[in-house]
């Protein structure tokens, strides 16, 4: 008998329990890790089970605490550090960029930094310009870092376990809107390979490459377009760095059309890198110019009204696909009914905390 579906927050919590059971060198820390909310439930029960020496709260000293994590990793531990807002972690970039990312390159064999840094990002609920930034392109730009972004519970669990036991520093970016996404997740130790994308839906009309929460919006657009005979191939990027260009290339051999969706700002984005790669190296595969949808090059508005036009949704994805395929009338009526409020993922959402 299979167990009931679990959500991504529960899957992350399960991965943490498994990793700490498997290896006594795994420690977990971060601001609020043991408070009643347990970082959206992702750290629930860890301190009670593994004790305060392995699971502990931290002061708001982001750079210092990251440096301690780098030192602990060099000393033989496997730290998992968590920030409830990616934005807060920007204070720690010195330790990440100048130490964690470069240590192995500088000092060679036996000097790896096996630290996992969980950063929560996302959108909505008036998060505004300083609590909602999607900076995956920043981290991917730094040589020596690996960057992953799960879109569903099974990858949330499998990627986190792979990250914790990876010898290099891994940035684990979790969109707060995937925390409540449900899925069938195998029990026990499962690993999602870092550096491998996933074909989430097969098709031959166009290749849509998406990441994180945008995989869900793309699924809605693909399902609606399928009802009028347009089958899109949807690729869940899963790993931002290393980037699996081979899976995208294989898809383009079938479709010849490319649309990249990015949760971050358009300028110098992950979508920019993907489009540049295929324009430079595989131009002959493209029947039409590659396209992308990313956030505007401006800070996210806090205003409920202004933020309505800011984000990519299934309707915008469908519109772009229809433009590329020269479909005269996009079948918007086949999309799921719009949510009552655009800045929450569903009626069940009770707030970001």
């Amino acid at each position: 008998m299979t167990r009931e579906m679990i959500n991504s927050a529960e899957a992350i919590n399960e991965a943490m329990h498994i990793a700490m059971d498997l290896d006594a060198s795994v420690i977990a820390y971060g601001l609020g890790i043991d408070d009643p909310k347990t970082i959206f439930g992702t750290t629930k029960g860890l301190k009670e089970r593994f004790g305060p020496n392995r699971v502990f709260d931290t002061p708001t000293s982001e750079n210092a605490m990251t440096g301690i994590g780098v030192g602990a990793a060099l000393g033989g531990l496997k730290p998992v550090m968590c920030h409830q807002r990616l934005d807060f972690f920007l204070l720690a970039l010195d330790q990440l960029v100048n130490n964690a990312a470069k240590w192995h390159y500088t000092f060679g064999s036996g000097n790896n930094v096996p630290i996992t840094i969980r950063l929560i990002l996302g959108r909505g609920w008036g998060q505004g310009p300083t609590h909602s930034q999607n900076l995956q392109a920043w981290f991917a730009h730094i040589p020596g870092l690996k960057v992953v972004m799960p879109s569903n519970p099974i990858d949330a669990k499998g990627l986190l376990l792979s990250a914790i036991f990876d010898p290099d520093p891994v940035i684990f970016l979790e969109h707060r809107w995937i925390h409540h996404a449900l899925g069938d997740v195998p029990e026990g130790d499962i690993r999602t390979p870092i550096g491998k994308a996933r074909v989430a839906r097969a098709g031959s009309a166009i290749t849509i490459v998406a990441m994180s929460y945008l995989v869900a919006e793309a699924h809605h657009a693909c399902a609606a377009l399928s009802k009028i005979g347009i089958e899109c191939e949807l690729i869940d990027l899963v790993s931002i760095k290393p980037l699996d260009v081979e899976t995208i290339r294989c898809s383009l051999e079938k479709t010849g059309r490319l649309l990249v969706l990015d949760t971050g700002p358009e300028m110098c984005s992950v979508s920019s890198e993907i489009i540049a790669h295929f324009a430079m190296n595989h131009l002959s595969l493209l029947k039409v110019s590659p396209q992308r949808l990313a956030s505007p090059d401006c800070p996210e508005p806090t205003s409920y009204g202004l933020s309505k036009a800011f984000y990519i949704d299934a309707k915008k994805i469908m519109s772009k696909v229809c433009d590329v395929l020269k479909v005269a009338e996009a079948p918007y009526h086949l999309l799921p009914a719009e949510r009552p409020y655009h800045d929450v993922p569903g009626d069940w959402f009770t707030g970001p905390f």
Side-chain angles (χ1 to χ4, degrees), residues 130-318:
T130 60
H131 289 68
S132 59
Q133 298 174 85
N134 283 251
L135 300 178
Q136 56 270 21
W138 277 32
F139 299 111
H141 181 71
I142 306 302
L145 295 182
K146 295 175 181 174
V147 185
V148 297
M149 295 185 86
S151 71
N152 57 60
I154 189 169
D155 284 339
K157 178 179 176 180
L159 276 176
L160 184 55
L161 281 165
S162 292
I164 291 171
F165 294 107
D166 193 283
D168 299 314
V170 180
I171 306 299
F172 185 90
L173 300 175
E174 48 192 87
H175 196 293
R176 65 175 65 90
W177 280 18
I178 75 158
H179 277 162
H180 294 272
L182 290 168
D184 289 316
V185 180
E187 295 183 80
D189 183 5
I190 60 167
R191 307 284 174 98
T192 299
I194 295 174
K196 182 65 180 170
R198 178 174 59 88
V199 178
R201 185 184 181 100
S204 58
I206 185 172
T207 299
I208 301 175
V209 179
M211 63 186 73
S212 188
Y213 171 72
L214 282 180
V215 175
E217 293 288 349
H219 263 301
H220 290 314
C222 291
L225 288 164
S226 178
K227 292 175 183 175
I228 60 168
I230 297 174
E231 299 296 343
C232 306
E233 182 134 306
L234 174 59
I235 294 176
D236 180 349
L237 210 50
V238 182
S239 175
I240 304 299
K241 187 180 183 180
L243 193 60
D244 182 7
V245 294
E246 182 60 17
T247 295
I248 303 172
R249 189 192 64 77
C250 290
S251 178
L252 279 177
E253 285 183 344
K254 290 193 299 181
T255 68
R257 302 177 181 89
L258 176 62
L259 169 62
V260 186
L261 312 178
D262 199 322
T263 60
E266 182 177 282
M267 182 73 178
C268 299
S269 60
V270 176
S271 61
S272 305
E273 176 63 27
I274 293 171
I275 288 175
H277 175 87
F278 284 95
M280 292 171 66
N281 302 300
H282 302 288
L283 188 60
S284 62
L285 294 178
L286 297 170
K287 298 174 183 174
V288 296
S289 299
Q291 301 291 318
R292 66 179 169 182
L293 284 171
S295 297
D297 190 21
C298 66
E300 177 192 333
T302 305
S303 154
Y304 175 82
L306 290 176
S307 66
K308 193 166 188 176
F310 188 84
Y311 290 110
I312 303 163
D313 58 15
K315 189 174 183 180
K316 290 180 179 176
I317 297 167
M318 176 184 282

